[in-house]
Each structure stands twice: as structure tokens, then as C-alpha cells.
Amino acid sequence: MEIGSASGVMAGFFTQGRRWLNALRVKFKAKVADTARNIKKVGQDDPRRVIHSLKVGLALALVSIFYYYQPLYSNFGVTAMWAIMTVVVVFEFSVGATLGKGLNRGMATLLASALGVGAHHLANLSGHVGEPILLGSLVFLQAAISTFLRFFPKIKARYDYGLLIFILTFSLISISGFRDDEILELAHKRVLTIFVGGCACVIISIVVFPVWAGEDLHNLIALNIEKLGNFLEGFGDEYFKRTGDAGSKDDKKYLEGYKSVLNSKTGEESLANFAAWEPGHGRFQFRHPWKQYLKVGTLARECAYRIEALNGYLNADIQASSEVRSRIQEACTNMSIESGKALKELSLTIKKMVQPSSADSHIENAKSAAKNLKSLLNSGLWEDTDLLKVIPGITVASILNEVVKCTENIAESVHELASKAQFKSVERTVSPEKLHSGQPQNIKSAQMVNCSHVVVSVKESTMAASPSEISSAPKGIKHNMEV
């Protein structure tokens, strides 16, 4: 009996063990599959990440020659490790970030090495007793001053890393010189290896599939404005034409796009800071007005905050009555749609880097609708209406009026950006039509580049206008030309 009981216990133990191992194997497979999906998603979201990883590996492989190649190792020795460390800490995703860190590290190392050598020679003049005291005082002063400078916002944004390297290098050179007489050689090797590592990072970053922070900032601002326009274009139908069918979630994703604009400040400021380090490239010349992009982004976020308030009224518990909504529907819908169209036109203007023109007509239409709404609200139609049923609709109308003002401010800022960045002018050309003699007719021609709001009316007469006169006519307005 005891033997049979013991064998049964052992069999149960082995059975539970097999189950535990099977469950562990299933969990491990699920974890591996989940990790593989995440890796694939990260690469698909931005394929440049994969290329950047390969670029970092290439840079490290190149600078590691200092260790593998005996003549170089004989000259630099263990200090060759600074080149590898430089690649690890300097190589960033974009060209601007890599250039910024590389220049900060290079200049800080050069300046700190020179001052460290000078401090060492100055301390030697103070004698054996005074040398450590003077060196300690100099290290204290430079560390305190450099650390305090890091609290200034403008310095911290662009030179924080350089100040850190300055503190490290000055302390390393000056303190190590107290025990090592070959301080000049140490400083020379450190500067040279860091220079080689930094150059490898910058050259590979620029030459091999470069990622420009300025271009990313340019596209981000345009995309954010487009998201706001998408919401406003669909808001009128969503708010005033409410039906029992809520529609699929995928169909209304455009109503959620604006939320990414609310938290875009940090990313925009980082990209603008990196872009300031970049040389001229492609459509972006040296000293491109990157700060103006930040101004446009700030105005876009102000508009997004008001859109957030509008979004809250889509599914609010307390809604305006159908009577109130019907009265303000036309004006509010026009304000929303025209503002959305204006923002999408401004987004397209930024993407193509052309002078904004057609957005102005949409803004004027939105302002006209706002005036009509104001007249409607002052007409006294709400005297016999329950205020609780009126307030939600009036609030939506008021927020839309603020959105129109925000759209106008964004348009002005984009105009300023186009002027500073010297965006291309939109050329409009008109092809003359052959007119049949003796037959009066009106010919409307709207042949132009990137513009759908220019109408040219040509009437037959005894005088003929040359094609050059037609093409030199004022832009953006309706022409009546008699031929």
C-alpha cells in the first residue's frame, strides 16, 4: 500500500510538472511572438529607425580600427577608447542632433583641454604645497560657474551637453596632471580621438540616408494643421445631423486626430533646436526661419484647445434643442467647413512651400458666416425659449467664432513664414481661346497653377488684348477683360 501510494504521488508530481512546463512553453512562445510583432511595428512605423541602427553600427566598426590596427593603437593606446565613446554618445537620429552634439563635444573638449593645460602650468608656479590648493580652487570655480550657466533656458537648450563635457574634460586634464607629467600628450590624444569619432558620426549621418530635423519639423507643422482642418470639416455634419446610427469608429478617426496636436510642443521645440544646427539642404536654405514654425505651431495648439472644447459637445449629456440647432445650423456649419478648408489649404501651402492665396477666400467666408450668426443672436429670437436648451448651442457657436479668429491668426503666421522663407509664388496663366468672329460669347477660363478661385471672363469686342496683358493681370481676383 505504501509503495503504491508513493508511486501515485510521484506520478501526480510528474503530471503537474509536465503541465507547468507546457504552460511555460506556451507563454514563452506568446512572448516571443508579441516581441516580434512589436519589433516589426517599430520598423514599419518609421523605416528610418532601421537605417539609423545600421549607421550607428557602421560608425562604431570604423572607429574601432584604432584598436584593431596596430600602428594606430601604438600611437594612441588606451585613449583610442574615447573615439568609440564619442560615437556612442554623439550619434543621434537626425543630422541636426548629431551635429549639435558633435560640435558641443568637440569645442568643449578643445577649450577645456587648453584651459586644463594652462591651469596645470599655472599651478606648477605655486610650488609643491600650493599646487593642489590652486588646482582644487580652479576645478571648483569652473564646475560651479558651468553648472550655474546650465540653468539659463537658452544655454540649456543648445549648449547643455557642451557644458557637461567641459566640466568633465577640465577636471580630468587638470587633476590627472598633478600625478602625470605628460599632460600635454594626454590632452592632445583626447582631443584627436574625440575629433575622429565626431567626424565619423557627422559624415555618416549626412552622407548615408540623412534624416533632417528641419524637414521633420516642416512636415509636422503641416500635418498638425491638416488634422485641425479635418476635424472642422466634419464637425458640422457630426453635430447638427445627429442620427441614430453612430457609424463605425474607423470612419470617425479624423475627429481624434487633433489630440496629437495638443502635446506637440516639446517635439516641435526639439526639432527646431536640432534644425538650427543643420546646414542648408534641399528646399531649406541656411538660416531658414525655424522659429517661425514654432510660432505657427503655438497658434495651431491654441486652435486645438478650442477644438477640444467643441469635441466635448459632440457627446455631451445636455444638448441644445432641435429648434435651436436648426436656427444656428447653417451659420455654424459654414464657419466650421470654411475654417477647415482654410486650414487644409494652409497645410498644403506649407507642404508645397508656395505663397498662400486660396485660403484667404475661405477665411472671408467664415468671417461672413460669423457676422450672420452674430446678427441672428441679436435678433431677439430667443426670448420665449428655455435658456437651458439655448446655452449649449450658443456655446458651440461662440467657440466656433473663436476658431475662426484662430484660423485667421494661423493664416497670418503662415503668410509671415512664406515671406521669411521665400516660398515660391503661385503663377497663373491663361490660355487665350480662339473666338469665332461675329459671335459674341463669354468664355470662362480657369487655367492656373494650384488655384481654383480665379475666373477670367473674356468678352468679344473691337479691341484685342495680347496674351502678355492677360497673363500680367492682377492675381487672386476676378478679371473682366474685353477683347
Side-chain angles (χ1 to χ4, degrees):
M1 289 290 293
E2 293 180 357
I3 296 176
S5 176
S7 62
V9 171
M10 291 298 293
F13 175 76
F14 284 118
T15 301
Q16 289 182 354
R18 283 195 300 269
R19 290 177 180 175
W20 182 80
L21 289 175
N22 290 333
L24 182 62
R25 186 172 64 253
V26 171
K27 286 184 178 180
F28 179 74
K29 287 183 178 180
K31 191 68 176 178
V32 170
D34 186 56
T35 303
R37 282 194 296 269
N38 290 335
I39 293 174
K40 183 179 179 181
K41 183 178 183 302
V42 169
Q44 287 179 338
D45 288 345
D46 192 349
R48 299 179 301 176
R49 296 170 179 170
V50 179
I51 298 175
H52 172 69
S53 304
L54 298 176
K55 288 159 64 176
V56 174
L58 175 61
L60 280 173
L62 288 176
V63 297
S64 62
I65 295 176
F66 277 91
Y67 263 79
Y68 300 148
Y69 191 53
Q70 186 60 36
L72 289 176
Y73 184 78
S74 300
N75 291 329
F76 291 96
V78 196
T79 56
M81 185 59 68
W82 287 109
I84 297 175
M85 292 178 61
T86 300
V87 172
V88 173
V89 299
V90 166
F91 212 131
E92 293 289 342
F93 184 70
S94 65
V95 174
T98 303
L99 267 173
K101 266 197 167 183
L103 290 175
N104 267 282
R105 187 176 179 88
M107 296 303 297
T109 300
L110 182 62
L111 181 60
S113 298
L115 292 178
V117 172
H120 172 71
H121 287 293
L122 181 63
N124 282 336
L125 300 178
S126 60
H128 183 70
V129 177
E131 183 179 0
I133 298 176
L134 183 58
L135 283 176
S137 301
L138 291 175
V139 169
F140 169 78
L141 283 175
Q142 69 86 19
I145 294 173
S146 300
T147 302
F148 182 75
L149 289 175
R150 293 177 60 202
F151 289 106
F152 289 86
K154 291 184 178 180
I155 294 179
K156 187 175 182 63
R158 299 200 67 182
Y159 307 109
D160 185 65
Y161 181 70
L163 289 172
L164 282 176
I165 298 301
F166 179 83
I167 296 173
L168 172 65
T169 304
F170 182 88
S171 302
L172 181 66
I173 296 297
S174 58
I175 294 175
S176 61
F178 182 71
R179 298 292 183 186
D180 189 357
D181 293 334
E182 298 179 352
I183 182 175
L184 189 60
E185 183 180 358
L186 174 66
H188 173 260
K189 289 181 178 180
R190 177 171 168 80
V191 170
L192 190 57
T193 52
I194 288 178
F195 176 77
V196 171
C199 286
C201 294
V202 171
I203 292 173
I204 292 176
S205 180
I206 293 177
V207 174
V208 182
F209 298 102
V211 177
W212 302 102
E215 187 173 353
D216 285 350
L217 175 63
H218 179 87
N219 295 332
L220 177 62
I221 295 296
L223 180 61
N224 286 345
I225 295 177
E226 183 180 4
K227 289 178 179 178
L228 302 183
N230 290 335
F231 178 92
L232 291 174
E233 276 195 324
F235 175 77
D237 291 339
E238 188 68 19
Y239 183 76
F240 291 104
K241 298 178 182 179
R242 301 171 63 88
T243 60
D245 184 13
S248 65
K249 212 169 184 180
D250 293 339
D251 294 339
K252 298 181 181 179
K253 281 186 177 179
Y254 65 91
L255 294 175
E256 305 293 329
Y258 76 92
K259 292 184 178 180
S260 63
V261 184
L262 298 172
N263 302 316
S264 62
K265 180 180 180 180
T266 303
E268 291 174 3
E269 290 179 347
S270 297
L271 289 174
N273 181 34
F274 297 150
W277 291 100
E278 294 177 348
H281 56 280
R283 301 176 297 173
F284 309 100
Q285 302 302 318
F286 185 65
R287 300 185 66 83
H288 195 75
W290 301 116
K291 290 184 178 180
Q292 186 63 27
Y293 284 90
L294 295 181
K295 183 178 179 181
V296 177
T298 300
L299 294 174
R301 278 191 298 278
E302 292 179 3
C303 186
Y305 295 141
R306 287 159 176 79
I307 288 178
E308 173 78 356
L310 283 177
N311 189 53
Y313 281 93
L314 287 178
N315 300 309
D317 296 332
I318 302 177
Q319 295 286 346
S321 64
S322 57
E323 180 184 359
V324 173
R325 289 209 304 267
S326 63
R327 290 181 180 180
I328 64 173
Q329 177 177 350
E330 182 179 357
C332 288
T333 301
N334 288 338
M335 291 165 63
S336 178
I337 292 177
E338 292 296 333
S339 297
K341 288 182 178 180
L343 289 174
K344 293 181 76 172
E345 288 287 347
L346 292 172
S347 172
L348 188 63
T349 290
I350 296 176
K351 286 180 181 178
K352 294 186 176 182
M353 297 186 72
V354 296
Q355 293 287 343
S357 57
S358 55
D360 296 338
S361 62
H362 293 299
I363 293 176
E364 290 301 322
N365 293 338
K367 291 168 67 175
S368 177
K371 289 180 181 179
N372 295 337
L373 179 62
K374 184 177 180 181
S375 301
L376 179 63
L377 296 178
N378 294 330
S379 62
L381 296 175
W382 322 98
E383 294 179 357
D384 300 329
T385 309
D386 185 5
L387 288 178
L388 293 178
K389 297 181 179 179
V390 173
I391 290 176
I394 302 302
T395 305
V396 169
S398 176
I399 297 174
L400 280 173
N401 188 50
E402 293 183 7
V403 168
V404 173
K405 294 179 181 178
C406 287
T407 304
E408 187 177 9
N409 292 337
I410 293 174
E412 292 176 358
S413 185
V414 172
H415 275 280
E416 186 177 354
L417 172 63
S419 175
K420 290 182 176 180
Q422 299 179 353
F423 284 3
K424 294 181 295 184
S425 299
V426 179
E427 298 180 359
R428 300 178 181 85
T429 59
V430 178
S431 298
E433 301 285 347
K434 292 184 178 181
L435 301 178
H436 298 283
S437 59
Q439 296 181 0
Q441 52 182 308
N442 293 330
I443 301 177
K444 295 182 179 179
S445 175
Q447 181 181 351
M448 65 202 77
V449 178
N450 294 332
C451 183
S452 58
H453 300 281
V454 178
V455 178
V456 181
S457 299
V458 183
K459 295 183 179 179
E460 185 179 26
S461 180
T462 56
M463 297 180 65
S466 65
S468 60
E469 293 174 342
I470 297 176
S471 62
S472 62
K475 302 177 180 178
I477 61 174
K478 181 176 179 180
H479 302 273
N480 294 318
M481 305 185 66
E482 295 184 357
V483 180

